[in-house]
Amino acid sequence: MELQITWFVLWGVLWAVYFMLDGFVLGAGMLMNFVARNDAEKRVVINTFGPVWDGNEVWLITAGGATFAAFPTTYALMFSYLYSALLILLFSLIVRGVSFEFRGKMDGLGWKKGWDIAILVCSFLPALLFGVAFGNIFGGLAMDASGYHGSLIGLLNPYGLLTGLLFVGLFLQHGALYLSVKTTGELKERARRTAKMLWPVVLLIAVVFLAATAKATLLYDNYYAQPALWAVPLLTALELIVVRIMLGRGKLLKAFAASCATILLVVATALVGLFPNLIPSSLDTASSLTIFNSSSSPYTLGIMTVVAFVFVPIVIAYKIWTYRIFRAPVTVEEVTADDHAY
């Protein structure tokens, strides 16, 4: 396998794992003000992901770093063309992290209400903007040899917004399932009911998205050329159905695991269709950025491959250990008795 293809796969894995892990934090953040009825329950929600949320960002940083090192031309032009959107995304993620940490520093009602709104807004915006960004990449950016001809407002086109809506829906369902596994009592039951209500909404958005993708992008070309690849989106649909079946049977951990698989396979479905492009051009296919015309030298990719195969398993082992340590559900009694809890 050529090194460019190896790094395209690794790049996709990094994004997929990031969306799987931070997706439930974004979803739980969006849902916190709706499923939690009082301050103690809101603290429970934050403490369910408190020990792990910042570790999840490692995957985002690594995905960005991998883009910079493996495909520097794509990295440079992406940050140049999408600068405003990425800056809003970055500030949203920063404020979200600050909100988790600062909310419990004072007891004033206004203080906590302000941070609650910040958590809601700064969980919603990244979910939406990630979808809008990837939707525009799937459809192709308005770029040619003379540069980029789009704008920030232009990114908010119907297909970009539909992709953003798909991301928001998937993460909301993912977050509700996570809370149903990681909480107890009435909060757990409200999270379970929320996940059940969200499932048909996510299914509807996914169906509309798949239909719109056929008109707005060329993502299906690879599937028509290699029909065996249809197994990937079919597996994605199957995992989404498994989420509902497990929810109906009350097997919440299995439903959450199926939701993790759904998100991983959604990313895989998109990347299979995108290959070998990283950012297609909607104006001139010759100006599209591919894994071949925007990659680093074979020597650089070779060194990076060795580093990745040494350190990525270590990171995965550490993440598994962390989630195992904090696997128990969080209770109201536990949070209110712990001065160091969020």
Side-chain angles (χ1 to χ4, degrees), residues 124-311:
F124 170 75
L125 274 180
L128 181 73
L129 291 176
F130 272 125
V132 168
F134 275 90
N136 278 278
I137 288 173
F138 298 156
L141 295 182
M143 61 186 190
D144 57 21
S146 60
Y148 181 55
H149 303 284
S151 64
L152 176 62
I153 300 301
L155 295 175
L156 302 176
N157 54 70
Y159 182 72
L161 288 172
L162 177 62
T163 313
L165 203 58
L166 177 68
F167 273 51
V168 170
L170 282 170
F171 292 163
L172 278 171
Q173 177 183 257
H174 201 42
L177 288 167
Y178 178 77
L179 291 178
S180 72
V181 172
K182 287 286 291 179
T183 59
T184 60
E186 292 182 11
L187 180 56
K188 178 189 184 81
E189 182 56 25
R190 285 196 292 274
R192 187 192 66 80
R193 286 201 303 268
T194 303
K196 211 169 177 178
M197 286 190 294
L198 284 168
W199 189 86
V201 179
V202 173
L203 179 65
L204 177 64
I205 296 172
V207 170
V208 175
F209 170 79
L210 288 173
T213 296
K215 288 192 173 182
T217 77
L218 300 176
L219 288 186
Y220 291 148
D221 285 4
N222 285 344
Y223 290 98
Y224 291 129
Q226 299 288 337
L229 294 175
W230 285 105
V232 181
L234 286 176
L235 273 175
T236 310
L238 181 63
E239 287 297 339
L240 187 58
I241 292 169
V242 171
V243 170
R244 182 62 184 85
I245 293 173
M246 292 298 125
L247 257 174
R249 294 178 180 176
K251 296 181 178 178
L252 301 176
L253 185 58
K254 288 185 178 179
F256 177 68
S259 178
C260 290
T262 302
I263 290 176
L264 292 175
L265 286 165
V266 164
V267 177
T269 299
L271 293 184
V272 166
L274 194 64
F275 180 85
N277 291 307
L278 290 167
I279 304 180
S281 168
S282 61
L283 302 178
D284 176 17
T285 54
S287 298
S288 295
L289 295 170
T290 73
I291 61 172
F292 300 111
N293 68 13
S294 70
S295 71
S296 294
S297 67
Y299 179 73
T300 302
L301 293 178
I303 292 175
M304 287 172 55
T305 303
V306 173
V307 171
F309 277 94
V310 170
F311 288 101

Side-chain angles (χ1 to χ4, degrees), residues 14-197:
L14 291 170
W15 277 111
V17 174
Y18 169 69
F19 287 137
M20 180 187 74
L21 294 179
D22 207 31
F24 66 72
V25 180
L26 292 167
M30 285 187 275
L31 289 171
M32 184 185 77
N33 292 297
F34 304 101
V35 297
R37 297 284 169 80
N38 52 49
D39 181 61
E41 288 190 346
K42 289 178 181 177
R43 291 184 64 197
V44 168
V45 170
I46 297 173
N47 277 277
T48 59
F49 52 72
V52 297
W53 76 267
D54 48 355
N56 295 342
E57 305 308 304
V58 168
W59 294 93
L60 175 62
I61 295 168
T62 309
T67 311
F68 169 75
F71 307 110
T73 307
T74 295
Y75 180 90
L77 294 182
M78 179 176 70
F79 273 82
S80 174
Y81 296 165
L82 307 178
Y83 183 78
S84 300
L86 293 175
L87 202 61
I88 295 171
L89 177 62
L90 182 61
F91 275 115
S92 299
L93 290 172
I94 291 172
V95 174
R96 183 186 63 145
V98 171
S99 304
F100 296 153
E101 300 293 337
F102 275 49
R103 184 184 183 279
K105 298 298 182 186
M106 291 176 65
D107 290 327
L109 184 63
W111 173 268
K112 291 196 172 184
K113 208 170 186 59
W115 290 118
D116 288 348
I117 294 171
I119 290 172
L120 170 64
V121 173
C122 294
S123 296
F124 170 75
L125 274 180
L128 181 73
L129 291 176
F130 272 125
V132 168
F134 275 90
N136 278 278
I137 288 173
F138 298 156
L141 295 182
M143 61 186 190
D144 57 21
S146 60
Y148 181 55
H149 303 284
S151 64
L152 176 62
I153 300 301
L155 295 175
L156 302 176
N157 54 70
Y159 182 72
L161 288 172
L162 177 62
T163 313
L165 203 58
L166 177 68
F167 273 51
V168 170
L170 282 170
F171 292 163
L172 278 171
Q173 177 183 257
H174 201 42
L177 288 167
Y178 178 77
L179 291 178
S180 72
V181 172
K182 287 286 291 179
T183 59
T184 60
E186 292 182 11
L187 180 56
K188 178 189 184 81
E189 182 56 25
R190 285 196 292 274
R192 187 192 66 80
R193 286 201 303 268
T194 303
K196 211 169 177 178
M197 286 190 294

